[in-house]
Amino acid sequence: MARPFHLNTPLLESVSMTQRVGTPVFLKMENSQPSGSFKIRGIGHLCQQLATDSKGVVCSSGGNAGMAAAYVARKMCVPATIVVPSSTPQLVVQRLRDQGATVNITGKVWDDANTEALRLAETEGLTYVPPFDHPLLWQGHSSVISEVAASLEEKPGAVLLSVGGGGLLCGVIQGLKDVGWTDVPVIAMETVGADCFNAAVKAGRLVTLDDITSEAKCLGAKTVCRKAFEFSQSGEISIISELVTDQQALSAVETFLDEERVLVEMACGAALAAVYSGLVHRLQDEGRLPAPLGPLLVIVCGGSSVDMEQLSQLKHKLHT
Ligand code: PLV
């Protein structure tokens, strides 16, 4: 089997988060992947299976799936076209070009860009790389849990992560099943305005949002993937779906930068906000999470849609 493109990322204990939550908090530092996020796990795996003889790959993305596809394609010497919506910051477009990709800006939100990517795959004969909805992606993402299982002495009390289209959630659930941690609940975080998973859970069916109004654009799929919804219904693993505001996600990005000295994007801030906003405590008070809780595993999903200028623009926009 070909060597994977992703790295075995550090698992760091956060002293400041541990103090806040009152239980050991471990950070799985997916921001340190070569493409800046966990996406390379699934996309690397998918491309190794589907794109070895490809004349080119095309990936629709809010940014980070595209960064992973561009990186992997460059390593495989295959041309990459990344289709992003107009909401994608210029800095991401530039970073994609720096990875050698052709960037195609189409539509307002990811769903529009995806329609164009599917069209290009069909008309140009390119290999379509989905950002979150494919079993090979989930299989690739599941390695994040097997790595943790190999290095964490104790079983986690809960896993905390962000949900966009639900690919990371499906991969983590698969990983938890693989290592026999099916009694570990998952806290699935979204921002208000990019909350397709929460809307589906509440409605008991898949829901397509009218629009993406959150600034966490990399969580901005209008419909969550069916598998993620099915996991929420099957009860195999308990999934707690919760929301934070954009202001809470952005403020979490800033606190994380101050305390852990790492800059991540708002999509990741959504998960971190569960710690900083006291949500984990609230879930314990409500009896939805055990108290005391075992170690809290936070998937620091990372993201490239951020720099200091972008951060100050977001602060201005959100008045934080
Ligand atoms: N971002 C996807 C989908 O966007 C993309 O194209 O990059 N954290 C970060 C930093 C992300 O970039 C994403 C997804 C997520 C979390 C959520 O992962 P998912 O989509 O697998 O639930 C529209």
Side-chain angles (χ1 to χ4, degrees):
M1 224 173 74
R3 256 184 60 217
F5 292 106
H6 68 263
L7 303 179
N8 185 335
T9 52
L11 183 67
L12 305 177
E13 186 174 357
S14 165
V15 171
S16 76
M17 284 195 175
T18 296
Q19 280 169 351
R20 285 171 197 268
V21 182
T23 195
V25 177
F26 289 92
L27 305 171
K28 187 63 175 157
M29 301 298 281
E30 291 300 291
N31 60 294
S32 58
Q33 290 291 0
S35 68
S37 81
F38 71 95
K39 291 272 175 184
I40 193 167
R41 291 182 185 270
I43 287 180
H45 182 61
L46 181 135
C47 289
Q48 280 177 327
Q49 303 291 315
L50 303 183
T52 41
D53 298 321
S54 173
K55 67 181 244 203
V57 298
V58 59
C59 176
S60 57
S61 177
N64 294 308
M67 287 296 294
Y71 174 88
V72 167
R74 181 166 61 79
K75 294 287 173 186
M76 291 175 74
C77 300
V78 168
T81 303
I82 312 300
V83 191
V84 295
S86 58
S87 55
T88 302
Q90 185 54 35
L91 84 108
V92 178
V93 172
Q94 192 50 50
R95 283 174 180 170
L96 288 167
R97 289 191 177 130
D98 292 344
Q99 284 288 356
T102 302
V103 182
N104 171 331
I105 302 172
T106 299
K108 187 171 166 261
V109 297
W110 171 81
D111 296 70
D112 307 331
N114 190 46
T115 306
E116 172 66 1
L118 287 166
R119 191 191 67 77
L120 285 173
E122 182 77 25
T123 55
E124 313 281 322
L126 302 175
T127 307
Y128 171 65
V129 178
F132 53 77
D133 193 3
H134 199 290
L136 288 171
L137 293 179
W138 311 329
Q139 195 183 344
H141 292 339
S142 70
S143 59
V144 74
I145 296 296
S146 45
E147 270 171 30
V148 172
S151 60
L152 198 64
E153 279 164 19
E154 221 185 312
K155 185 165 69 170
V159 182
L160 175 60
L161 50 72
S162 303
V163 175
L168 177 62
L169 177 64
C170 290
V172 162
I173 290 178
Q174 185 174 326
L176 290 172
K177 286 165 68 167
D178 291 347
V179 302
W181 285 350
T182 48
D183 53 346
V184 176
V186 177
I187 312 167
M189 300 298 301
E190 296 171 287
T191 50
V192 175
D195 45 1
C196 60
F197 180 62
N198 189 261
V201 169
K202 278 188 180 145
R205 61 179 167 79
L206 283 178
V207 170
T208 299
L209 304 176
D210 290 339
D211 196 8
I212 301 301
T213 53
S214 168
E215 289 301 325
K217 299 299 178 197
C218 278
L219 300 185
K222 285 189 186 176
T223 319
V224 77
C225 69
R226 178 167 296 278
K227 187 74 181 170
F229 171 67
E230 284 172 1
F231 276 133
S232 78
Q233 301 296 295
S234 75
E236 283 171 277
I237 286 187
S238 154
I239 306 174
I240 303 171
S241 166
E242 287 288 330
L243 303 180
V244 287
T245 62
D246 274 6
Q247 282 81 4
Q248 286 173 312
L250 183 59
S251 143
V253 168
E254 292 182 285
T255 310
F256 196 69
L257 178 60
D258 282 346
E259 295 190 354
E260 310 295 337
R261 304 153 316 278
V262 174
L263 181 59
V264 295
E265 67 171 73
M266 275 180 66
C268 182
L272 305 175
V275 169
Y276 296 133
S277 72
L279 178 85
V280 174
H281 269 306
R282 179 163 68 71
L283 292 171
Q284 287 182 294
D285 290 345
E286 291 171 1
R288 295 167 66 199
L289 274 182
L293 186 69
L296 178 66
L297 172 63
V298 183
I299 310 291
V300 180
C301 46
S304 294
S305 302
V306 67
D307 62 8
M308 293 312 278
E309 195 186 319
Q310 176 75 6
L311 197 60
S312 63
Q313 279 175 19
L314 285 167
K315 270 172 77 79
H316 185 71
K317 214 168 181 173
L318 298 172
H319 305 293
T320 56

